[in-house]
Amino acid sequence: MELITHLIKLSGGLPILMALLLLIAVAVIVDRVWFYYRVLGAGSRVEESLRALGYRDVRGLKALGDEYAHTLQGRLILQAVASNAATPEALSQHLDEEVLWSMPRLDQYLWLLDTAATLGPLLGLFGTIIGMIDTFNVLGSAGAAVKATGGIADALVSTGMGLFIAIISVLFLNLLNKRLRLAMHQLDLIRLLLLNRFFGEGVKAHEVGAEHFESRSALSGHLGLGDTRKAEGV
């Protein structure tokens, strides 16, 4: 306890501020890791359920939206059901609006980690400078060399604390930014699935075959291969 008190006094009280900064960073990390775990898990289940629904199955979409109404993805589905859009473009705009409303929740508190990663080393360096100034003030006293050496070592503790805060913050900030991109990708995919389920008709095999045959015939005519194939009895 005496050592901690000595280090706090030596660094001008900055270790207390750095400890508070570390506590805030850890709280944000725990909150966001749990948040993205729930968001991405719900998004995966919603994606699979949407893929299993038929086209224009409004009742199924409404039931799915009600089941996941507490999630961002569920509110996106309910927004699509409630929009009554007459065109895909109108529905797309309504869904984009809901996605933009969701962005602040996805990006919430991440700026605190970014701040901790930047501010931690600066506070540590500032505390070390304060400690070095106090250490050099004893150089004129007896046993100055021993006191100065011990003071410098104690002052460097602040720099170590600042670097530790920065390492933890940067590591989890990168991880959470990756989770943020995955969550945005899920919302975009669900938006596309909803557009297809509301305005898509599905693809029939005979339509694909007919379209493919018409495309080949048009291409053959454009290349001048039609007469040749007739002459050859094809």
Side-chain angles (χ1 to χ4, degrees):
M1 188 65 183
E2 293 181 0
L3 178 60
I4 296 176
T5 304
H6 169 68
L7 293 176
I8 292 175
K9 290 181 178 179
L10 183 65
S11 302
L14 288 177
I16 297 177
L17 184 58
M18 286 190 286
L20 179 61
L21 186 64
L22 178 60
L23 181 62
I24 293 174
V26 171
V28 171
I29 289 169
V30 173
D31 176 78
R32 293 292 90 185
V33 167
W34 175 242
F35 173 78
Y36 285 120
Y37 172 78
R38 291 185 290 112
V39 168
L40 293 177
S44 298
R45 294 190 295 271
V46 170
E47 287 174 2
E48 294 300 323
S49 300
L50 276 176
R51 288 174 63 88
L53 286 177
Y55 291 90
R56 301 180 184 275
D57 185 3
V58 180
R59 287 186 178 181
L61 290 170
K62 180 66 167 59
L64 182 62
D66 291 335
E67 181 181 356
Y68 291 94
H70 60 285
T71 66
L72 300 177
Q73 296 86 352
R75 285 193 287 273
L76 189 62
I77 296 174
L78 293 177
Q79 173 70 12
V81 174
S83 67
N84 294 323
T87 63
E89 292 76 15
L91 179 58
S92 179
Q93 290 181 356
H94 292 164
L95 295 178
D96 286 341
E97 177 185 348
E98 184 65 28
V99 170
L100 290 177
W101 275 109
S102 302
M103 271 300 298
R105 289 195 61 192
L106 292 174
D107 197 30
Q108 195 173 22
Y109 303 136
L110 292 184
W111 67 272
L112 289 172
L113 277 185
D114 195 7
T115 301
T118 304
L119 192 59
L122 296 178
L123 288 175
L125 182 59
F126 188 37
T128 297
I129 292 174
I130 294 174
M132 295 284 284
I133 292 173
D134 291 338
T135 299
F136 288 140
N137 288 333
V138 303
L139 288 177
S141 62
V146 176
K147 293 180 181 179
T149 302
I152 292 173
D154 293 340
L156 289 174
V157 173
S158 295
T159 301
M161 290 180 61
L163 291 175
F164 177 76
I165 294 172
I167 291 171
I168 296 297
S169 300
V170 169
L171 178 64
F172 280 96
L173 181 61
N174 290 334
L175 175 65
L176 294 174
N177 279 330
K178 174 65 175 178
R179 294 293 182 268
L180 172 61
R181 290 192 294 270
L182 288 176
M184 289 302 300
H185 173 73
Q186 277 189 347
L187 290 176
D188 196 41
L189 177 58
I190 291 173
R191 184 186 67 83
L192 182 59
L193 286 170
L194 288 171
L195 285 171
N196 290 335
R197 292 307 177 273
F198 273 97
F199 293 98
E201 296 289 351
V203 181
K204 299 180 181 179
H206 67 85
E207 292 178 352
V208 174
E211 181 181 354
H212 181 63
F213 177 77
E214 292 175 359
S215 299
R216 290 191 60 185
S217 299
L219 179 61
S220 298
H222 178 70
L223 296 176
L225 300 179
D227 296 338
T228 305
R229 297 182 69 181
K230 290 180 180 178
E232 293 176 353
V234 179

